[in-house]
Amino acid sequence: MIDKLPKKIRIELEPILNDPVKFIQLLKIQDKYSGKLVKFTPNQEQIELLHKLKGHKKVIILKPRQIGISTVLRAYALWSTYQTKDPLKFGVISFHERSAKHLRKMDSMMHNSLPNILRKNLSIDNSTTLEFAGTGAQLCSFTAGSKGGTRSFTLSSVHLSEFAFYDDGEEMLAQVIATIGEGQIIIESTPNKPGDVFHRLIMGAPENGWHLISYWWHQHERYRLPAPKDFTPNEDEKFLIKSYGCTYDQLNWRRQQVATIGLEKFRREYPGCLDDAFHYASSSYFTLDDIREIEEIHFDGQERLYEEPRDDDVYAMGVDVAAGVGGDYSTITVISMATLQPIYHYRNNLISPSGFADVVLKIAQWFNDARILCESNNHGHVVIYRLRHMGYKNLWLDHNMKDWTTTTKSKLDAYETLREYVTQGMIMKMDAQVLAELRALVVTKVCPEAPRGMHDDLAMSLALAYRCLRDIPRRKLTLARRNLMDVLISESRAKKIKDQPIPWKKNV
């Protein structure tokens, strides 16, 4: 139809049809509250999502319920299918048949809502497939539990809806990756269970190649209810005001929801942060109160440096060693003795223990020949042997002059040392990945550990670093802090002098 329009009108329409944000405003959707067809007026979250989708091949979206993410993703898929000139297939997969049919019906409804002159002729329009006659481009729907899944199809892109609720998310994702090739994969879901494949993908981003987009309930305009004049926030609500700037209307809406469905379910259905989305409740090693005041710092890459080493500081270094075959990570954490803060992390799961020993030596020398605590059992034996072979002397030894051996008792000792620093509020800031591992630690028997399928390697190196710090002579601790105070005083004096006006320039 559009090809029959006058050239001038086609030129005017071109910027609208080529822009997904402008295109979807031509559509109508079913209002979830009234059930009527209304003009699709995207909210700010939906517009931002459309812009973010353009630059990434693998996108994972963590969301609360009912903010319109599935709807805008179906509009985006329709736009992609509408504007392509090739016979590409854009798939949507849902966790049960009813939902898959609903999403497919949404595609047809949106296309049929276009102005008559912009609708395209369809060669197929049934419960699973919409196909444009001119190009052969298709919108297809699948059910995650169906036999064969997507094995017999070649898809150009796919939208995995409510992915956290698939019976076998790992298998479905493997099928999708195999069939997509260079196409785009978009995963969206509300959270389900801590430690599931959705959680693991989120915690691994962006190092695992996925671009994470998260939305929280307190960012959504609809989630508010006029508060009474005598509304008084409780302690939990005061924290939300301090952390997210929540208004009384937002807190009143939240209070009503919690009274209806309970706090635990509210946190899962309407997360306000990662802690809420994947809450471990009573089995957690650290409570939210323990770690909520620690400032979260975001880094990218294998190395995370908070600050450059000072020549007059003393450093403790925790080292956790893995096999280097793509599973667990070999990690390093360095603690400043003057500030008692973590200032460096290293994380790599593809480096051999022998190669890792070279990295450990380099980092230790960089941090003023830091005291190293590395386990002597398993792969750590290789690292300690090579460090000694290379002449490194400042290795942690117990009172019997033996290396650290990780046992249930010693591991608990290291983690209890770390917990003492955390619960006493002595750690001011922490890398986001490390903090995420601390949040996830659970106690199933005696020692804290990561849930199945997740990692605790940075948490372990952090615990070893603080355990190492405990055995460094107190005179070195006193000297390091005295030196730090001298430096801070000197810097303060230099700043005051610098800020003073230069006498001969007063009248210039």
Side-chain angles (χ1 to χ4, degrees), residues 127-341:
S127 62
T128 61
T129 306
L130 179 151
E131 179 179 287
F132 291 124
T135 62
Q138 294 183 351
L139 284 165
C140 310
S141 69
F142 305 89
T143 303
S146 60
K147 293 182 179 180
T150 62
R151 289 183 188 276
S152 58
F153 298 90
T154 300
L155 298 176
S156 306
S157 75
V158 70
H159 162 201
L160 302 173
S161 181
E162 291 296 350
F163 176 74
F165 298 87
Y166 292 7
D167 289 337
D168 192 346
E170 290 184 88
E171 174 61 23
M172 176 53 67
L173 185 58
Q175 289 185 33
V176 164
I177 291 173
T179 191
I180 285 296
E182 295 299 315
Q184 187 177 47
I185 304 174
I186 302 171
I187 291 174
E188 54 87 1
S189 188
T190 48
N192 185 17
K193 294 182 294 186
D196 64 11
V197 63
F198 183 59
H199 188 192
R200 298 200 302 272
L201 287 174
I202 287 172
M203 300 311 298
E207 294 175 344
N208 58 8
W210 289 88
H211 178 70
L212 173 62
I213 301 173
S214 54
Y215 296 100
W216 312 120
W217 73 265
H218 46 76
Q219 297 171 329
H220 192 51
E221 279 297 315
R222 280 190 180 271
Y223 293 156
R224 56 189 70 224
L225 183 68
K229 292 182 179 180
D230 60 348
F231 184 90
T232 303
N234 58 36
E235 288 304 311
D236 192 31
E237 291 166 343
K238 288 178 182 177
F239 173 77
L240 295 175
I241 294 172
K242 178 182 176 182
S243 300
Y244 311 123
C246 289
T247 66
Y248 280 8
D249 288 353
Q250 289 177 303
L251 295 176
N252 189 43
W253 174 87
R254 176 183 180 272
R255 189 180 288 185
Q256 298 295 323
Q257 295 298 314
V258 169
T260 303
I261 64 176
L263 179 59
E264 293 300 317
K265 190 170 184 180
F266 176 85
R267 294 178 68 179
R268 187 174 68 250
E269 300 282 314
Y270 302 96
C273 60
L274 276 177
D275 286 339
D276 288 343
F278 303 104
H279 181 51
Y280 287 87
S282 60
S283 61
S284 297
Y285 185 64
F286 291 103
T287 69
L288 294 184
D289 287 337
D290 289 340
I291 58 179
R292 72 183 353 167
E293 296 297 333
I294 299 177
E295 180 185 357
E296 191 171 283
I297 309 296
H298 293 268
F299 295 102
D300 290 321
Q302 293 176 343
E303 296 189 85
R304 297 100 190 266
L305 178 65
Y306 299 64
E307 63 178 48
E308 295 287 338
R310 294 177 178 270
D311 292 339
D312 47 9
D313 203 349
V314 178
Y315 297 97
M317 187 166 164
V319 177
D320 188 40
V321 189
V325 292
D328 289 338
Y329 287 82
S330 290
T331 58
I332 298 170
T333 293
V334 179
I335 306 293
S336 163
M337 219 172 163
T339 64
L340 303 179
Q341 303 301 305

Side-chain angles (χ1 to χ4, degrees), residues 335-379:
I335 306 293
S336 163
M337 219 172 163
T339 64
L340 303 179
Q341 303 301 305
I343 62 169
Y344 175 87
H345 305 289
Y346 175 90
R347 185 176 188 249
N348 188 341
N349 66 348
L350 293 175
I351 189 170
S352 68
S354 179
F356 185 49
D358 296 334
V359 174
V360 171
L361 177 64
K362 178 182 176 182
I363 300 306
Q365 290 174 335
W366 184 31
F367 285 94
N368 305 341
D369 290 332
R371 173 77 60 90
I372 299 173
L373 194 162
C374 175
E375 69 171 358
S376 60
N377 43 339
N378 302 319
H379 303 292

